[in-house]
Amino acid sequence: MAEIYLCRKIDKYLHSWKEDVNRKPLIVKGPRQVGKTESILHFAAKNYKSVIYINFIEEPKYKLITENGYKPDEIIRNISRMDPSKHFEPGETLLFFDELQDYPEIATALKFFKIDGRFDVICSGSLLGISYKRIESNSVGYKTDYDMHSMDFEEFLWAKGYDKTAVEEMLWHMETGQPFPEGIMKAYSDLFLDYCILGGMPAVVREYIRNGTFEGTLDIQRQLLEDYKEDIRKYADGMDQTRILNVFEQIPIQLAKDNKKFQISKVARGARFKDYRGCIEWLRDAGIINICYCLLFPELPLRGNYDDSKYKIYFFDTGLFVAMLDEEAQEDLRANKNLGVYKGALYENIVGEALKKCGYDLYYYKREDSTLEEDFFVRTQNSLIPVEVKAKRGTAKSLRTLIQSDRYPDIDCGIKFTAGNIGYSDGIYTFPYFCAFLLKAYLSRENPKCKEL
């Protein structure tokens, strides 16, 4: 049976890139196994007569292609010497350098390929954040970057057979404030819970689509987690390996607590912030975690207005977070749809993940002299919008305070994500969890005016 190709948002981007007559070599970044190679090869097969695919891990001999220099003629001569079957046709050839993290030096050649102009070039690799300063310095001004993530809920809906009209209808409900009909609400809520459990790793989603069940998906998730741990052992230097793995293992445990702020002191006996700071940055640069920093005060601008020693850590893919839970929590979630002590953590993680995939940086706020605390903040051109994730029914006390108090002039309305339907009250727009991936589109098309819808 032919392998199922999962449509991704990068597909449209790659076509736009190719149509740009001034296109530069492209570097596709992202965590391992989020579908970079598959999407690029799928695009290449449909758009080029000749595709030169070079994987620096599988075929390390190709690291020698720059031994005579970085000019295209020299590189092409060396590639064709190693494999005479590779065909180079000007204007019809894509060179695809994969696993760039194993040979970042090839980035030096991007400038010369851009100047030469005969061949298109795409580079890709996992963990590129770790060595990206080196890549950037070798190719600055002569490449375009694209960050790829695991599948978001829209891409998951595509995999389930939904088309773009479903998302447009969702957005319409958000913009008009019209609640979803009961049947549609239930269908999307059930699909979203499946997405929470599965996450967006293509291998996991493909298995789910192929079987129509969850059979085998947990095994794939656990293997992916082992692969990430192996990457840490392979690419992290010296003693940091153990510390990075300790942080990695601690994330679900600390997210389950009421105070979700990540505490280094809980990672290991005698652990200190200064010893672990680099480990957390390593995981962030590898794309494995999303860091949510504590604002100094909820006001604009956001950048620079945070305490980099206070933060929450979320997994980049909620399905992998779920796969790290203990056996009892796994069974309760999958059999009974009961999230137990992890309920708040799961929904916070999934909304944080959705915001990050929208392109937002993550910030929260906790006021030291009161119980006021807010999960996330996003901004529009002129205002700051607090975003609350409610795992349980109840009043959004902190959100109301931020909106109504004169202490926070940049805030005049807020957004709340819940298990319930669309609603509005006292400056708070309420949306179902499954709408989180549309937040940026909603704010760009219909900036809340804080009036009854």
Side-chain angles (χ1 to χ4, degrees), residues 30 50 76 83 96 118 130 133 152 199 208 210 233 264 299 336 355 358 401 409 416 426 430 448:
S50 179
I76 288 164
D83 183 354
F96 177 15
R118 287 176 294 162
I130 307 303
K133 286 180 182 174
D152 68 5
Y208 163 79
R210 182 187 290 122
R233 295 185 191 100
I264 292 293
E299 64 183 354
N336 306 316
L355 296 182
C358 281
T401 300
K416 181 171 68 173
D426 300 326
T430 300

Side-chain angles (χ1 to χ4, degrees), residues 147-176:
D147 288 305
M148 190 169 178
H149 307 277
S150 62
M151 299 169 73
D152 68 5
F153 188 52
E154 182 173 4
E155 291 169 317
F156 182 78
L157 289 174
W158 295 347
K160 289 290 291 180
Y162 289 81
D163 61 22
K164 66 179 182 180
T165 59
V167 173
E168 284 296 327
E169 285 175 8
M170 264 190 217
L171 201 49
W172 178 84
H173 280 283
M174 294 174 74
E175 290 173 350
T176 62

Side-chain angles (χ1 to χ4, degrees), residues 153-154 156-158 160-174 179-196 208 337 347 418-422 432-438:
F153 188 52
E154 182 173 4
F156 182 78
L157 289 174
W158 295 347
K160 289 290 291 180
Y162 289 81
D163 61 22
K164 66 179 182 180
T165 59
V167 173
E168 284 296 327
E169 285 175 8
M170 264 190 217
L171 201 49
W172 178 84
H173 280 283
M174 294 174 74
F180 290 95
E182 187 177 337
I184 292 174
M185 180 73 188
K186 184 178 187 315
Y188 284 143
S189 297
D190 287 348
L191 278 169
F192 190 70
L193 183 59
D194 287 356
Y195 172 68
C196 289
Y208 163 79
K337 296 186 177 180
Y347 285 119
T418 72
N421 214 320
I422 286 175
Y433 299 125
F434 60 75
C435 290
F437 78 97
L438 281 169

